[in-house]
């Protein structure tokens, strides 16, 4: 038979180039024995032959290549022209004859559904569902070719063009097959997901169903019954009022009919049918090896599957070893804890997993309690719940990092309380925790009660400097496998050493802050005493970095050419071009000084593969430019000094009030010590991250040298390709053991990372895929306000400036920064903002700590803040009660 037409039995999943995603799935299911109504596909060869007769299509494709997804008016005009042109083209004789022959073989008196099937459709990482047209109840030899031609033309609907442009699909490379399938005239029909598309739970089958044809449900014409099935049992039923249904007409086409009142609220499927359908869905899932989105219908008690495609919206799930009787494991996002939720390369993930100090069989090994999922690292925190004390305390501790995480863990522990009691004991867990935590606690108590807190910063700085030099020495003078092994060793020891040696420095400050807040409330009824004491902490390494960026802005102001160079944001040859600018030499001295201290930092810095500021200043220059635009000369230093004076004045007022109380001298003496500890030790909160980045700077330099060696040896084509490998795979390359399919492996990982970057990672998920978000309940906020976690007190109104990446930032005076997250690489923007809103974070995360120091009102933990708060809108940010209110939409000039 001609390849212009293929019957389902001649098609399998390898036929995608000829019949598109929908056609390949229907053929695959037919051959696997699933109940698929018979049909055939008009292939992409037929489509190419059809458009090949046109002299205009090449010009149309050139126009399409220039289209951007947002050019809606231009897309609409061009799409209409293409569709009209295709409608005017004749159907070539051989194609018409092949369609007619297949139609006769299936049955001339049958009705058919004619559906589009694109070659880029229903892929694991992108679904084109609904982008092209469908025609139902098509009858007769003349109607069928016309419906096929209209399907071909629908490849150029506005939504299809825009979708391909957005996802960077080549318009020429996406071809269209047309599925012609015998119609089923169902009593009920619907959609089934073999994993819950809302919660992500992989063991839950979710079924939507209504009477008549499924198009009523898909088009939103009717509400559908919802059934959820888990392990063969129905766990949820929601019976909707189904006012209407779509039915086929005998002469062709469809009609919408209002349902009789008794039928409207009847359960569309009986319980036995629900369980039977769910099992059929799981069989299809097992065949494909992936969760499926299935269109189904039922006629006279017989099931039919009319489509199945991968569910592309599910977040990837790691394979966590499970023991029968255990609760599902709970996985926590390390990126949310570190204020960097973007997807990372395999090298970066492996370094982080090697760093994690628990669950490691060997120093150089990746922790067995960590998993890579969707380009992010997740930590299995389930073993902690063996200890009842940690079940109570861990959510409270987590609240300092992210309130939504804390609520999610509490939700999990409530739901799985009985199962947690059955967790298998881990020998030595309690003793191991005490051995690890005990010395840290002991030293922290010593720092709280004894010694001069102001001297701690000098001791800590000396340690960090010594560790950085030691790391640099260990990684220099060696190359190849030996250097990669040493990077793994350094990473493997890093956090365990840092926890033991560094945490005792800031912990006394954190404890002192809690005690100050509690005692001020108890003795004075003062609930907010700590907020004023937070300002301008002396010696905070990240605050010092922000001040030095202000110094850079001031150093550039007198020199217009330097200011223009910074304002351009172009980091290419920036250092060289400074030499050509008037005042460039003077500015360069300040620039080099800054780089000596902070050149190893950058936004998203926990990803070791990201370019540092000393390599690429592209993310730093916009911050300097924003500072020049929104902050007056020297104002950053004056504000910092003013903050220190305000903190000192607040401390004196607090002590004076205490002295006037019974036992006032004793209370004031205790509070004075706590304030002194808080001011100097809390300032060290950012030092451990700085110490880590000093090491990461050396890791990255060593990795880049190894990558260049691999390129020079011809093992890799590009330096950046090396970061798509794990360090163990680097070792294999360095030892001359490259993978046989190295290029294919690299290309697949690049495609995976591109997909991962489009996903929103959950804060918490179980090993069954369920995403736990927790629920806030707060009554004291305006209606319609966006709820978050208050982390820095104060109320401010201003223009919302949404910034997704620091290099894109253009903050002006009086604007409120709306960001997905912030880490120290974002700090340069804080001086330019009057308030801060973040999608993730908690009381003790970076953005919150620095916002309090700068006196910026801040709210964190507002899911989707960067999309829900319009850029340019006037908003009110309440950092005391924890909400954001949109006052005036962007573009509205009302005062």
């Amino acid at each position: 038979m001609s390849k212009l037409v293929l019957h389902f039995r001649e098609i399998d999943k390898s036929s995608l180039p000829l019949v598109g995603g929908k056609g390949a799935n229907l053929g695959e299911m037919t051959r696997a024995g699933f109940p698929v109504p018979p049909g055939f596909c008009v292939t992409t060869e037929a489509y190419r032959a059809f458009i090949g007769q046109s002299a205009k299509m090449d010009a149309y494709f050139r126009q399409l290549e220039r289209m951007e997804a947002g050019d809606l008016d231009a897309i609409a005009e061009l799409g209409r022209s293409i569709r009209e042109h295709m409608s005017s083209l004749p159907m070539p004789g051989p194609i018409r004859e092949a369609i007619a022959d297949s139609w006769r073989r299936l049955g001339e008196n049958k009705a058919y559904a004619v559906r589009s099937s694109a070659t880029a459709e229903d892929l694991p990482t992108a679904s084109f569902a609904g982008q092209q047209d469908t025609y139902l109840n098509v009858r007769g030899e003349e109607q069928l070719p016309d419906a096929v031609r209209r399907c071909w033309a629908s490849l150029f609907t506005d939504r299809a063009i825009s979708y391909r442009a957005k996802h960077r699909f080549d318009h020429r490379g996406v071809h269209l097959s047309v599925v012609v399938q015998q119609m089923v005239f169902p009593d009920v029909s619907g959609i089934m997901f073999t994993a819950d598309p809302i919660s992500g739970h992989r063991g839950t089958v979710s079924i939507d169903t209504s009477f008549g044809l499924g198009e009523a449900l898909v088009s939103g014409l009717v509400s559908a019954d919802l059934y959820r099935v888990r392990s063969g049992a129905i766990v949820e039923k929601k019976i909707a009022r189904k006012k209407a249904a779509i039915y086929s007409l005998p002469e062709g086409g469809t009609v919408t009919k209002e349902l009789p009142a008794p039928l409207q609220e009847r359960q569309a499927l009986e319980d036995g049918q629900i369980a039977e359908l769910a099992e059929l869905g799981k069989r299809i899932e097992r065949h494909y090896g992936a969760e499926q989105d299935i269109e189904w219908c039922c006629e006279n008690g017989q099931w039919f599957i009319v489509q199945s495609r991968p569910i592309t919206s599910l977040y990837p799930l790691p394979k966590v070893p499970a023991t029968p009787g255990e609760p599902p494991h709970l996985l926590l996002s390390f990126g949310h804890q570190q204020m960097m939720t973007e997807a990372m390369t395999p090298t970066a993930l492996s370094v982080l997993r090697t760093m994690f100090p628990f669950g490691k069989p060997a120093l150089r090994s990746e922790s067995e309690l960590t998993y890579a999922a969707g380009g992010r690292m997740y930590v299995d925190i389930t073993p902690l719940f063996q200890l009842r004390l940690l079940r109570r305390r861990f959510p409270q501790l987590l609240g300092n990092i992210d309130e939504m995480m804390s609520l999610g863990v509490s939700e999990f522990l409530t739901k799985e309380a009985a199962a947690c009691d059955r967790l298998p004991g881990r020998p030595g867990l309690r003793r191991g925790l005490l051995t690890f935590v005990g010395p840290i606690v002991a030293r922290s108590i010593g720092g709280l009660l004894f010694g001069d807190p102001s001297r701690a910063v000098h001791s800590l700085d000396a340690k960090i400097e010594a560790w950085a030099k030691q790391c640099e020495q260990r990684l220099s003078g060696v190359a190849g496998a030996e250097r990669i092994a040493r990077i793994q060793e350094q990473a493997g020891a890093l956090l365990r050493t840092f926890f033991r040696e560094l945490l005792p420095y800031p912990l006394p400050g954190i404890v002192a802050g809690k005690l100050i807040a509690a005692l001020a409330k108890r003795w004075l009824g003062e609930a907010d005493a700590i907020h004023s004491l937070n300002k301008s902490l002396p010696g905070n390494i990240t605050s010092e970095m922000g001040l030095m960026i202000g110094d850079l802005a001031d150093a550039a102001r007198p020199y217009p050419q330097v200011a223009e160079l910074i304002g351009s944001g172009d980091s290419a040859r920036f250092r060289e071009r400074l030499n050509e600018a008037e005042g460039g030499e003077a500015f360069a001295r300040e620039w080099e000084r800054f780089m000596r201290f902070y050149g190893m930092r950058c936004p998203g810095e926990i990803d070791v593969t990201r370019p540092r500021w000393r390599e690429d200043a592209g993310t730093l220059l916009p911050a300097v430019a924003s500072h020049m635009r929104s902050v007056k000369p020297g104002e950053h230093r004056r504000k910092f000094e003013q903050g220190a004076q305000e903190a000192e004045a607040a401390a004196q007022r607090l002590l004076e009030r205490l002295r006037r109380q019974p036992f006032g001298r004793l209370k004031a003496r205790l509070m004075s010590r706590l304030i002194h500890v808080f001011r100097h030790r809390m300032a060290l909160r950012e030092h451990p991250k700085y110490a880590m980045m000093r090491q990461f700077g050396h890791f990255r330099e060593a990795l880049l040298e190894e990558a260049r060696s691999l390129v020079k040896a011809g093992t890799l084509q590009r330096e950046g390709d090396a970061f798509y490998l794990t360090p163990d795979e680097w070792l294999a390359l360095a030892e001359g053991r490259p993978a046989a399919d190295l290029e294919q492996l690299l290309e697949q990982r690049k495609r995976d990372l591109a997909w991962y970057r489009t996903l929103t990672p959950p804060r918490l998920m179980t090993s069954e895929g369920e995403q736990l978000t927790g629920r806030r309940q707060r009554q004291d906020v305006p209606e319609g306000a966006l709820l978050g976690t208050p982390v820095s007190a104060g109320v401010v109104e201003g223009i919302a400036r949404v910034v997704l990446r620091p290099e894109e930032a253009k903050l002006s005076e009086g604007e409120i920064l709306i960001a997905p997250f912030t880490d120290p690489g974002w700090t340069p923007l804080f001086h330019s903002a009057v308030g801060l809103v973040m999608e993730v974070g908690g009381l003790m995360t970076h953005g919150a700590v620095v916002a309090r120091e700068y006196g910026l009102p801040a709210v964190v933990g507002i899911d989707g803040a960067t999309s829900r708060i319009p850029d340019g809108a006037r908003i009110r940010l309440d950092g005391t009660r924890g909400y954001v209110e949109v006052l005036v939409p962007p573009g509205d000039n009302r005062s």
Side-chain angles (χ1 to χ4, degrees), residues 554-593:
D554 285 354
R557 291 180 201 271
Y559 306 109
Q561 291 181 10
V562 174
E564 183 180 356
L565 185 58
I566 293 170
S568 71
D570 183 5
S571 62
R573 296 179 52 249
F574 174 76
R575 186 63 184 82
E576 294 176 43
R577 292 162 68 189
L578 270 180
N579 296 331
E580 303 166 6
E582 182 183 356
E585 186 177 342
F587 179 80
R589 285 193 293 271
E590 292 295 316
W591 182 263
E592 294 301 332
R593 178 171 173 267

Side-chain angles (χ1 to χ4, degrees), residues 653-670:
R653 287 195 300 272
L654 188 62
L655 296 175
E656 284 298 324
R657 291 174 63 190
L658 286 174
R659 291 188 184 102
R660 294 196 292 269
Q661 289 201 335
F663 304 103
R665 295 176 70 115
L666 185 61
K667 289 178 180 178
R669 186 175 178 182
L670 173 59

Side-chain angles (χ1 to χ4, degrees), residues 464-786:
I464 291 173
E465 190 65 31
W467 285 331
K469 286 184 177 178
Q470 181 190 50
C471 177
E472 183 180 20
Q473 290 169 358
R474 275 189 54 78
L475 299 183
S476 61
V478 292
E482 176 63 24
R483 180 147 55 177
I484 298 299
R486 289 190 182 188
I487 291 173
Q488 290 179 306
E489 289 169 1
Q490 284 290 123
L494 197 150
L495 279 187
R496 182 169 286 273
T497 302
F498 279 14
F499 281 161
R500 186 176 61 248
E501 297 292 333
L502 298 189
L503 282 186
Y505 283 90
L507 272 180
I510 295 172
V511 174
K514 298 286 186 184
L515 290 173
I516 290 168
L519 293 176
K521 187 173 183 179
R522 181 176 179 179
W523 290 338
L524 300 172
E526 179 75 56
D528 299 323
I530 198 69
H531 294 305
S532 296
L533 299 176
N534 257 306
K535 293 182 179 180
S536 303
L537 299 176
N540 183 314
I541 197 76
T542 307
S543 297
E544 293 288 347
M545 180 179 73
L547 292 171
M548 285 187 69
I549 286 173
D551 295 341
L552 284 177
D554 285 354
R557 291 180 201 271
Y559 306 109
Q561 291 181 10
V562 174
E564 183 180 356
L565 185 58
I566 293 170
S568 71
D570 183 5
S571 62
R573 296 179 52 249
F574 174 76
R575 186 63 184 82
E576 294 176 43
R577 292 162 68 189
L578 270 180
N579 296 331
E580 303 166 6
E582 182 183 356
E585 186 177 342
F587 179 80
R589 285 193 293 271
E590 292 295 316
W591 182 263
E592 294 301 332
R593 178 171 173 267
F594 177 87
M595 289 300 167
R596 280 198 302 276
F597 286 102
Y598 302 108
M600 83 302 294
R601 310 207 80 160
C602 67
E605 60 191 5
I606 64 168
D607 181 343
V608 73
T609 65
R610 289 203 174 195
R612 311 285 123 170
W613 279 332
R614 61 187 170 212
E615 303 169 53
D616 179 5
T619 56
L620 179 61
L621 295 176
V624 180
S626 290
H627 192 104
M628 286 192 287
R629 187 166 50 247
S630 58
V631 182
K632 296 179 175 61
E635 184 180 357
H636 60 294
R637 292 283 179 182
R638 289 193 296 274
K639 278 187 175 180
F640 190 83
E641 180 58 33
Q642 180 183 344
Q645 292 172 1
E646 290 173 359
E648 177 61 28
Q652 292 305 318
R653 287 195 300 272
L654 188 62
L655 296 175
E656 284 298 324
R657 291 174 63 190
L658 286 174
R659 291 188 184 102
R660 294 196 292 269
Q661 289 201 335
F663 304 103
R665 295 176 70 115
L666 185 61
K667 289 178 180 178
R669 186 175 178 182
L670 173 59
M671 184 64 76
S672 177
R673 171 68 189 184
L674 290 175
I675 291 172
H676 197 43
V677 171
F678 174 75
R679 293 282 298 164
H680 288 280
R681 289 296 193 118
M682 189 63 187
L684 308 182
R685 160 67 179 74
E686 298 285 302
H687 271 67
K689 186 74 169 287
Y690 175 75
M692 187 188 302
M693 289 310 110
R694 291 288 301 270
Q695 305 252 342
F696 268 39
H698 296 308
F699 291 177
R700 178 171 168 81
E701 287 178 355
L703 288 170
L704 284 174
E705 286 186 22
E706 291 303 315
R708 284 191 284 269
S709 296
L710 291 171
V711 171
K712 187 176 181 180
T715 308
L716 295 176
Q717 295 183 17
R718 294 164 294 275
E719 290 178 18
D721 287 352
F723 294 137
Y724 290 90
L725 303 171
T726 66
D728 280 345
E729 290 167 337
W730 283 63
L731 275 172
L733 291 185
E735 293 170 353
R737 299 181 288 109
D741 57 349
L742 182 59
E743 281 303 313
Q744 291 182 354
L745 177 69
L746 291 171
E747 288 306 313
Q748 182 59 52
R749 287 184 177 174
K750 289 175 185 179
R751 287 193 295 270
D752 288 345
L753 185 60
W755 173 42
Y756 296 155
R757 284 172 174 158
T758 69
L759 303 177
T760 300
R763 287 172 165 82
L764 292 162
M765 63 177 172
T766 70
S767 53
E768 295 173 333
E770 184 176 8
Q771 298 183 16
L772 302 174
T773 57
R775 292 290 180 270
R776 291 189 179 97
Q777 293 182 346
R778 205 173 299 153
Q779 306 297 325
D780 60 339
V781 298
E783 185 178 352
L786 303 180

Side-chain angles (χ1 to χ4, degrees), residues 187-365:
D187 308 305
V188 290
S189 56
I191 299 168
M192 170 170 52
F193 297 93
T194 63
D196 190 329
I198 305 302
S199 72
H201 194 288
R202 300 309 202 267
T204 300
V205 177
S206 179
I207 300 171
D208 291 314
T209 181
S210 191
F211 295 112
L213 292 170
E215 270 60 32
L217 190 156
V218 173
S219 64
L221 178 67
V222 297
S223 297
D225 286 359
L226 169 64
Y227 317 127
R228 287 196 170 97
V229 180
R230 190 176 296 176
S231 301
I234 300 171
V235 295
E236 183 180 4
K237 284 195 293 189
K238 291 181 180 178
I239 311 304
R241 188 178 181 189
K242 301 167 283 292
K243 294 184 177 181
I246 296 178
Y247 294 101
S248 299
L249 292 170
E251 65 275 15
T254 60
V255 64
T256 302
K257 292 182 179 180
E258 185 175 344
L259 294 174
L263 196 59
Q264 289 183 9
E265 297 186 17
R266 182 188 299 173
Q267 186 173 317
L269 288 178
E270 296 177 0
D271 286 3
Q273 290 179 303
I274 294 169
E276 189 179 328
L277 178 59
E279 174 54 31
L280 176 58
K282 281 298 183 181
R283 281 172 49 208
I284 295 172
E285 179 188 283
R286 287 192 292 272
H287 174 76
Y288 281 105
E291 295 79 13
Q292 297 291 297
D293 168 0
I294 300 168
E295 296 175 28
W296 60 270
C297 56
C298 185
E299 181 181 27
N300 297 324
Q302 184 178 358
W303 301 112
F304 292 97
I305 302 299
V306 294
Q307 185 50 257
S308 185
R309 61 178 70 88
I311 305 176
T312 59
S313 59
L314 294 174
Y315 194 81
L317 187 63
K319 292 183 179 179
V320 180
T323 302
E326 278 188 11
H329 288 233
L330 186 59
L331 307 175
L332 179 146
S333 166
F334 181 76
H336 281 81
Q337 189 269 335
Q338 285 292 315
M339 299 294 99
M340 210 297 278
T341 59
E342 294 180 2
M344 290 181 273
T345 63
T347 294
L349 285 171
S350 184
V351 168
L352 292 179
R353 295 183 64 194
T354 304
M355 278 174 46
F356 194 73
F358 309 110
K360 290 171 60 67
L363 187 64
R364 288 170 46 192
S365 301

Side-chain angles (χ1 to χ4, degrees), residues 152-174:
W152 282 336
S154 73
L155 188 59
F156 302 98
T157 60
D158 300 356
R159 63 182 180 273
I161 293 171
S162 180
Y163 189 88
R164 291 196 299 272
K166 179 181 178 181
H167 292 274
R168 303 299 179 190
F169 282 95
D170 179 6
H171 297 279
R172 294 177 188 267
V174 178

